[in-house]
Amino acid sequence: MKNKIMNFFSDLGRSLMMPIAALAACGIVLGLTSAFMKPQVQGAIPFLAATVIISTLNKVSGIVFTLMPVLFSISIAMGLAKEDKGVAAFAGFLGYYAFLVASSCIIGTGIMDFSAMKISPTLGVETVDMGATAGILAGLVTAWLHNKYHKVQFPAAIAFYGGKRFVALIVIVTMSLIGLVMPLIWEPISVGIHGLGSLIHSAGAFGVFIFGTLERLLIPTGLHHVL
């Protein structure tokens, strides 16, 4: 059991490395282009002010950070899938988007006050902003469903929807149900995450100790990048 748990977190850590590597590369491009767009730099090098390439690269690299949940949902589903990783990646995106739409629908009903949570447009959907957490959740659920059902067989009449095709269907249904429930339970979780971040930020040298300790504890699992 211990080996299975460690193997799972190791695989998860490797799956997270793909989007994290992309974010690191985009961060470098974003930093350089932001520096090149400063008036002082453009005053010294007028050519930079006359070209649209710098501003385009700046916007493109910046938008990648807003797509972080999407990257996580795809990469985790693909990384944890045992077979047919491309199908899992496709289903990961579908699951994430179904989650967003379902959450938006439950918020629109007004059954409770959601004003305490951050509501913002995500991929064109006005929904709860869970950041990378939503993408990670979608990726984990998708990978589990994919590994369980990607070889399922149905009677001849509906055989077309068996196997790989059934993965997308079950992921959409499952993530829609999770999306309907998540806004109701996300608020206390959000408060806890914010509280941990505030504690580390306000604790001074002890906050550095907490951060360093948690990071070291997470290194064997490969999840220290998330912290």
Side-chain angles (χ1 to χ4, degrees):
M1 179 61 68
K2 181 179 179 181
N3 290 334
K4 288 183 178 180
I5 294 175
M6 291 302 298
N7 289 337
F8 167 77
F9 281 110
S10 295
D11 291 340
L12 178 59
R14 284 193 293 269
S15 300
L16 293 174
M17 282 302 298
M18 290 186 289
I20 289 173
L23 292 174
C26 289
I28 294 174
V29 176
L30 182 63
L32 290 175
T33 53
S34 297
F36 289 150
M37 292 174 64
K38 288 185 175 296
Q40 301 89 330
V41 177
Q42 293 185 350
I45 310 176
F47 168 75
L48 296 177
T51 180
V52 72
I53 297 177
I54 300 299
S55 60
T56 300
L57 289 176
N58 184 267
K59 291 181 180 179
V60 171
S61 58
I63 201 67
V64 171
F65 286 89
T66 66
L67 296 176
M68 184 166 59
V70 183
L71 299 180
F72 279 141
S73 67
I74 295 174
S75 66
I76 292 176
M78 180 173 62
L80 296 182
K82 297 178 181 178
E83 300 178 16
D84 298 319
K85 292 181 178 291
V87 176
F90 175 71
F93 175 76
L94 290 179
Y96 175 68
Y97 201 79
F99 175 86
L100 295 180
V101 175
S103 296
S104 177
C105 291
I106 196 65
I107 292 171
T109 62
I111 62 173
M112 63 176 287
D113 183 14
F114 294 103
S115 60
M117 295 182 289
K118 182 180 180 182
I119 308 295
S120 62
T122 305
L123 297 183
V125 180
E126 196 77 16
T127 185
V128 176
D129 187 354
M130 293 175 56
T133 307
I136 293 174
L137 175 63
L140 290 173
V141 173
T142 299
W144 179 72
L145 292 173
H146 175 272
N147 290 333
K148 186 174 182 179
Y149 293 111
H150 76 286
K151 291 185 177 180
V152 66
Q153 299 294 323
F154 292 140
I158 56 173
F160 177 80
Y161 297 102
K164 303 174 185 177
R165 298 180 182 89
F166 182 71
V167 173
L169 296 176
I170 191 64
V171 166
I172 290 174
V173 172
T174 303
M175 290 307 301
S176 295
L177 294 176
I178 295 176
L180 291 174
V181 176
M182 187 56 66
L184 304 176
I185 63 177
W186 177 248
E187 185 171 4
I189 298 175
S190 178
V191 171
I193 294 174
H194 184 270
L196 177 61
S198 299
L199 174 65
I200 293 175
H201 181 267
S202 62
F206 184 65
V208 177
F209 170 76
I210 295 176
F211 176 82
T213 301
L214 293 177
E215 183 183 40
R216 292 299 177 182
L217 289 175
L218 290 173
I219 283 179
T221 68
L223 299 178
H224 55 290
H225 305 283
V226 177
L227 180 62

